[in-house]
Structure formats: structure tokens, C-alpha cells
Amino acid sequence: MHYLRQAACVTAATAMTLATTVIAAPAFAAGAATNYVALGDSYSSGVGSRDYFEDSGDCLRSPKSYAQLWADAHGVDSFTFNACSGATTDDVNSGQLDGLSADTTLVTISIGGNDVGFSGVVQDCLLGNDEGCDNAVSAAEEKGRSELPGKLDTTYANIKQAAPNAEVVVLGYPRLNQPTGGCGVPGFSEAKRQRINAGADVLAEVISERVSAAGFTYADTRDAFEGHGVCSSSEWINGPSNPLRESFHPNTSGYAEGYLPVLNSVTG
């Protein structure tokens, strides 16, 4: 009897899963229109690729970004590229939502890193000692736990209101560094690299919790970049670079081989 009950439950659960899948992703059904809007910060716009659309200005939108690559590969009916380098949640709320509507079927976004001071943390870790790096990451983690949840909730609610019929995929940030072994970056110790990576895990935890609460889909990129961080033998993330803006962002391989497959695994 226990076996029969379990089998019945499994069958029912499977049916529910299939039904949910069909309901959750109508935008990607065969023959359905795909109206795609890409929001977010530099990790969405494609900073690090060193190749930008001339008309994107300081937003640095790239044809090598995961957003543009996905749009190109899927033959979308419309694509609105509003992601912008340096964006915070407030910037998304005030300047990126105009492309959303009831006709939008897919929204992607990476956001939150600038709200906790990502660039300043990396700079402090590169220029300071291990203790200073630890303090900088700890301050960012505290901001992530105390301030970021409310900011994300507001942004996600605004997206849901502006695009009520869209599938919303929130792509997370990778761990930036190869945590052990030698490194060609002067002063970039294992302790610093590991501490920054630990901070990325806290950020992922905070973002994924708020994504779940909003009913969106969280696409975790950390495993995809495993073995390809700064100081690895096959870097998908730029180390300290010239110009400085390219530093600690995915390179073309990071977007094409890291971010894009993760997004494809969610959308098909």
C-alpha cells in the first residue's frame, strides 16, 4: 500500500510539473511571438567584451553580451536592449522600464552588484592588504543583507507590473576568481580571492531569495564559471585591464560560454 500511495503521488506530481511547465513558459512555445527586453547593469550590457555599439554611449551595450547573443540565436520578434553599465536598482526603476509592456514575453536582468559597491570592493582588495579586503567585503555583505532585499523587491515588483505576461529571468553573478594557486596579479593573494568569492556567494543567496519571493526564475552562473575565474589558466573573466572599466567583467568567452548556456538552460 505504501508503494501504491507513493506511485500515485509521483504520478500526480509529474502531471502537476508538466502542467506547470506548460503554463510557466508560453512565450517559448513553437510559433509564439518572442518580445524580449534586456535590463540590468554592466554584466547585462556586456562590459568586458571590448566591443560596443556606437550608439550605446556610456551604457556600453555589446553585440557580444549574453542578451544580444540570445536574441540573435532565437530570431526574436522584437528586442529592446535597455541594460546599462553602472546601473543600480534605482536606475532600472527610473530609466529602463519603458520598453516593457503587456506584449513583453521575456525579460532578463542582472542587478544588485552596484547597489552593494562591487567596484569599490574589488579596488580595495587589489590595492589593500588581506585585512582591508576582508573588511571591504564584509561591509558589502552587510549592505547586501540589510538594504538590497528591499531594493530588489521594489524593482521586481515594477517589472511585474510593467510586463505582467513576461517570463522574467534573473541572472546571477559568477565567483570572480580562481581561489587557489599562483596568480599573475601582484598582491592578489589567495585570501583576497577567496574572500571576494565568498562575498559573491552571499550576493547570490540574497538575490535568489528575492527572485523566488517574486515568482521569477533565478539563473545561477557560479558553476558555469567554475575553473574560469581571474588567475585561472582559462579566464572567462578579465583581471585588471586597460581601460579599467573592462576589469572583473566577463570576456567574450564568459558571455558566450558561461552566461549564454545558463540562460539557454532556462529558456530552451
Side-chain angles (χ1 to χ4, degrees):
M1 291 295 292
H2 290 297
Y3 173 81
L4 292 174
R5 291 195 190 101
Q6 289 172 353
C9 289
V10 169
T11 301
T14 301
M16 289 180 65
T17 300
L18 291 173
T20 302
T21 301
V22 172
I23 292 170
F28 313 112
T34 301
N35 300 312
Y36 173 27
V37 180
L39 310 174
D41 57 21
S42 55
Y43 274 66
S44 294
S45 70
V47 172
S49 68
R50 304 178 185 271
D51 182 8
Y52 307 104
F53 293 114
E54 290 184 3
D55 62 355
S56 68
D58 292 338
C59 283
L60 300 174
R61 300 184 185 107
S62 173
K64 305 294 178 59
S65 67
Y66 70 75
Q68 187 67 61
L69 292 174
W70 194 95
D72 292 343
H74 288 78
V76 299
D77 296 273
S78 68
F79 176 48
T80 303
F81 199 178
N82 281 351
C84 188
S85 177
T88 63
T89 51
D90 288 343
D91 295 321
V92 172
N93 297 336
S94 63
Q96 294 190 20
L97 303 181
D98 58 332
L100 301 177
S101 73
D103 293 327
T104 303
T105 57
L106 174 65
V107 177
T108 62
I109 183 170
S110 304
I111 201 70
N114 292 319
D115 290 87
V116 302
F118 159 78
S119 60
V121 169
V122 172
Q123 179 176 303
D124 288 346
C125 285
L126 284 173
L127 300 180
N129 57 25
D130 290 354
E131 182 180 2
C133 179
D134 178 52
N135 291 337
V137 176
S138 293
E141 289 174 340
E142 174 57 29
K143 184 174 290 187
R145 292 187 176 105
S146 62
E147 299 178 18
L148 186 58
K151 291 178 177 292
L152 292 174
D153 287 350
T154 297
T155 298
Y156 297 159
N158 288 341
I159 293 171
K160 185 178 294 185
Q161 182 176 14
N165 301 311
E167 180 81 3
V168 181
V169 180
V170 179
L171 291 100
Y173 301 96
R175 299 184 185 97
L176 296 179
N177 308 301
Q178 178 67 22
T180 58
C183 182
V185 180
F188 206 31
S189 65
E190 289 186 355
K192 291 179 180 179
R193 285 179 270 154
Q194 291 169 10
R195 190 66 187 92
I196 292 173
N197 286 357
D201 287 336
V202 171
L203 188 59
E205 178 184 346
V206 171
I207 294 174
S208 63
E209 285 179 351
R210 303 328 306 159
V211 170
S212 178
F216 296 163
T217 298
Y218 180 68
D220 195 336
T221 63
R222 289 174 293 173
D223 287 347
F225 278 81
E226 188 72 25
H228 297 287
V230 176
C231 299
S232 70
S233 60
S234 176
E235 292 183 337
W236 289 358
I237 299 174
N238 298 322
S241 303
N242 184 19
L244 190 62
R245 69 190 184 200
E246 307 290 330
S247 304
F248 293 90
H249 286 80
N251 55 30
T252 55
S253 294
Y255 288 116
E257 300 179 55
Y259 266 96
L260 183 61
V262 171
L263 180 54
N264 282 334
S265 71
V266 173
T267 61

